[in-house]
Amino acid sequence: MHPFRLATASLAVLALSAAAALAGDDPAPQTYPAVLEGHAVLPAMTFAAPPADAPAMFATSAKFAGPTLARIDRPFSVMGTTGSGKAVRETGLTFPFVGQAVQGFSGIRPVGNGEYVVITDNGFGAKANSPDAMLMVHRVKPDWQAGRVAVLNTMFLSDPDRKVPFRIVTEATKERYLTGADFDIESVQLIGDHYWFGDELGPFLIETDAAGRVLTVVDTVADGKPVRSPDNPYLTMPGAPGPVAFESRRSKGFEGMAASEDGKTLYPLLEGGLWDAAKGAPETDAQGHELLRVLEFDVASKKFTGKSWKYRLETNGNSIGDFNLIGGTRGLIIERDQGEGDVAQACQGDPKPDCFATPAKLKRVYLVDLADADADGILRKIGSIDLLAIQDPGHQARQGGHDGTLSFPFVTIENVARVDADHIIVANDNNLPFSSGRAVDRQDDEEFVLLKVTELLNAR
């Protein structure tokens, strides 16, 4: 999810937050220590050249990312901003860009040898502003000693065999490269040599071959019913003002997606609760806490099984960032609020451009177990780590470290995976050029951290 889309949040969700705060909650899961053992940075201004056979329109990107969505032809002529109203801050980077922006990353999968597959999501935060952003998969390798991240190769997704059943941006071309106006890929898994992606716009599940060519696009089903967002290509607007029914709010499709160790099952996780039309609000528990669905998907039949679990948000309006299993049925889920920036630099009084109007307050990784749910299917949060209070006794922080700690105060933290029995890797999505959580007036880089979290991984 991108800050560009936060304005679409329902007032009903905000009202539920107050009700949930007054309700009786389960005991808070124990917070375990997270110790920094590596920190590597990929600079914000990192770009990839489009393929030689790509249409000329992809030589530049973010041409439609301005405030009015009108095309901007002159590169580096518009300043990136974050925040809203009187709290708008410049990020210090200008667009449109020459080339394809490699960031921000919104899904991670270890592939051995200290390397990871990461994905660039839809581009610039919305279907409408990303038709010139190509969908990409990168293989990267953090160098913890040098503090740098190498981009080893980049693969561009395409649909040359016309497997996507609706019109795409490059419909008339032979190669049919995919863009952020077609899908918003937010999670990735490798099953054999095929890739599976979770998408927010449909939401859909997408299967490609090893070269990134689409093989399958699967419509989402939950409780035996279709799940569609307002960006679903099969929805049509009425000829006169009136309601349009959909089941998932904008930017609340699949954000995380875990896979079983045998590769037979996927577990895509929606970022927002399914919409309850009768209540005019997302699905909640008895106390009013928003519930997000983890759906079960059978890879062999390419169908949703009908089984699901429910993840309860700490505060309504929060989002999840990623979901990966660490062994068996146990998995890690990032939960985050919509704030960015250090609370020590919060605005005092009226919001201003030289402070954080809504600083980060909750950025956590929770441990859950699909085999540990209550009678209503709600997952128990076994424990967590606080990404705003990472211990750094060895002074490993490359930027943002202070007094032996490192904070990860980014609005979107969308990558988490197990490295070994003691460590996990976490990375932010820097929303180029629309986020500045590390500093008030500087665009965030893409940061990877290696965290020792033995106690969390062993918690029961």
Side-chain angles (χ1 to χ4, degrees):
M1 183 176 177
H2 190 287
F4 182 91
R5 295 175 283 197
L6 295 182
T8 64
S10 168
L11 291 177
V13 175
L14 300 179
L16 281 169
S17 296
L22 298 174
D25 297 333
D26 293 336
Q30 183 172 344
T31 299
Y32 294 97
V35 179
L36 185 66
E37 295 202 344
H39 191 184
V41 178
L42 185 67
M45 295 293 278
T46 301
F47 299 94
D53 58 359
M57 67 176 285
F58 295 121
T60 57
S61 56
K63 293 186 291 294
F64 304 93
T68 68
L69 302 181
R71 188 180 64 251
I72 306 164
D73 289 317
R74 184 160 65 91
F76 307 112
S77 59
V78 177
M79 175 62 68
T81 61
T82 185
S84 60
K86 295 181 180 179
V88 169
R89 294 177 283 117
E90 295 184 349
T91 62
L93 293 186
T94 53
F95 63 94
F97 304 118
V98 175
Q100 291 291 315
V102 166
Q103 301 161 79
F105 299 147
S106 191
I108 191 167
R109 176 69 159 78
V111 290
N113 193 35
E115 299 174 9
Y116 299 86
V117 163
V118 294
I119 57 174
T120 302
D121 59 17
N122 89 311
F124 305 106
K127 180 175 182 174
N129 71 359
S130 301
D132 60 355
M134 304 182 76
L135 299 188
M136 296 177 282
V137 178
H138 315 278
R139 185 175 289 241
V140 302
K141 187 170 186 176
D143 183 336
W144 304 117
Q145 296 300 316
R148 297 189 293 266
V149 180
V151 180
L152 304 179
N153 59 58
T154 295
M155 178 177 72
F156 295 85
L157 302 190
S158 64
D159 182 36
D161 300 319
R162 305 177 69 84
K163 298 294 186 180
V164 177
F166 51 83
R167 184 180 67 248
I168 63 175
V169 169
T170 61
E171 184 73 27
T173 69
K174 176 182 177 182
E175 295 78 16
R176 292 170 55 88
Y177 287 107
L178 295 177
T179 75
D182 305 316
F183 298 103
D184 181 0
I185 53 174
E186 296 281 353
S187 44
V188 60
Q189 291 294 340
L190 268 168
I191 307 295
D193 64 351
H194 287 190
Y195 292 88
W196 282 89
F197 302 93
D199 156 73
E200 279 199 328
L201 297 184
F204 300 109
L205 294 187
I206 308 156
E207 179 190 18
T208 77
D209 64 14
R213 296 178 292 240
V214 173
L215 300 174
T216 312
V217 177
V218 183
D219 295 311
T220 300
V221 177
D223 297 339
K225 302 174 184 177
V227 176
R228 299 157 299 181
S229 89
D231 290 318
N232 187 293
Y234 302 125
L235 289 183
T236 57
M237 294 298 293
V244 178
F246 47 86
E247 299 73 32
S248 173
R249 288 161 291 158
R250 175 166 285 127
S251 191
K252 295 298 184 181
F254 294 130
E255 182 70 37
M257 181 170 65
S260 61
E261 292 176 284
D262 60 12
K264 294 181 179 180
T265 311
L266 295 172
Y267 301 99
L269 170 57
L270 293 167
E271 190 173 11
L274 291 175
W275 193 254
D276 186 330
K279 294 181 178 179
E283 183 178 23
T284 61
D285 66 9
Q287 289 75 41
H289 286 276
E290 186 174 349
L291 300 173
L292 314 186
R293 291 295 189 100
V294 179
L295 305 180
E296 184 178 70
F297 180 81
D298 179 67
V299 173
S301 65
K302 300 181 182 180
K303 293 182 178 179
F304 289 93
T305 68
K307 185 175 183 179
S308 68
W309 297 261
K310 300 170 184 177
Y311 176 85
R312 178 165 41 209
L313 292 174
E314 291 294 299
T315 301
N316 292 347
N318 283 358
S319 298
I320 67 99
D322 201 6
F323 175 34
N324 265 309
L325 295 185
I326 62 172
T329 55
R330 290 158 59 82
L332 301 174
I333 294 176
I334 297 173
E335 183 176 341
R336 60 175 182 82
D337 61 17
Q338 311 300 350
E340 66 176 355
D342 192 330
V343 69
Q345 295 177 269
C347 296
Q348 305 299 319
D350 292 336
K352 295 177 293 184
D354 61 351
C355 53
F356 293 112
T358 309
K361 294 182 180 179
L362 188 142
K363 312 288 180 181
R364 287 181 176 262
V365 177
Y366 287 94
L367 174 65
V368 299
D369 190 333
L370 297 178
D372 188 357
D374 68 14
D376 295 318
I378 299 175
L379 295 168
R380 178 173 73 94
K381 292 178 175 178
I382 300 167
S384 73
I385 59 168
D386 185 355
L387 296 175
L388 299 178
I390 299 167
Q391 298 176 19
D392 185 19
H395 302 288
Q396 299 290 317
R398 302 289 173 174
Q399 51 192 37
H402 183 69
D403 294 334
T405 63
L406 173 69
S407 177
F408 233 47
F410 306 109
V411 62
T412 43
I413 305 171
E414 301 191 348
N415 308 270
V416 64
R418 177 182 178 272
V419 176
D420 56 35
D422 298 298
H423 298 87
I424 63 173
I425 188 170
V426 176
N428 65 315
D429 172 357
N430 73 341
N431 298 310
L432 187 79
F434 301 119
S435 281
S436 57
R438 179 64 75 200
V440 169
D441 57 355
R442 183 174 67 82
Q443 167 65 43
D444 291 326
D445 295 318
E446 196 74 27
E447 299 186 25
F448 291 74
V449 287
L450 180 68
L451 303 179
K452 185 176 182 180
V453 293
T454 307
E455 293 178 59
L456 175 70
L457 296 178
N458 291 332
R460 298 291 172 178

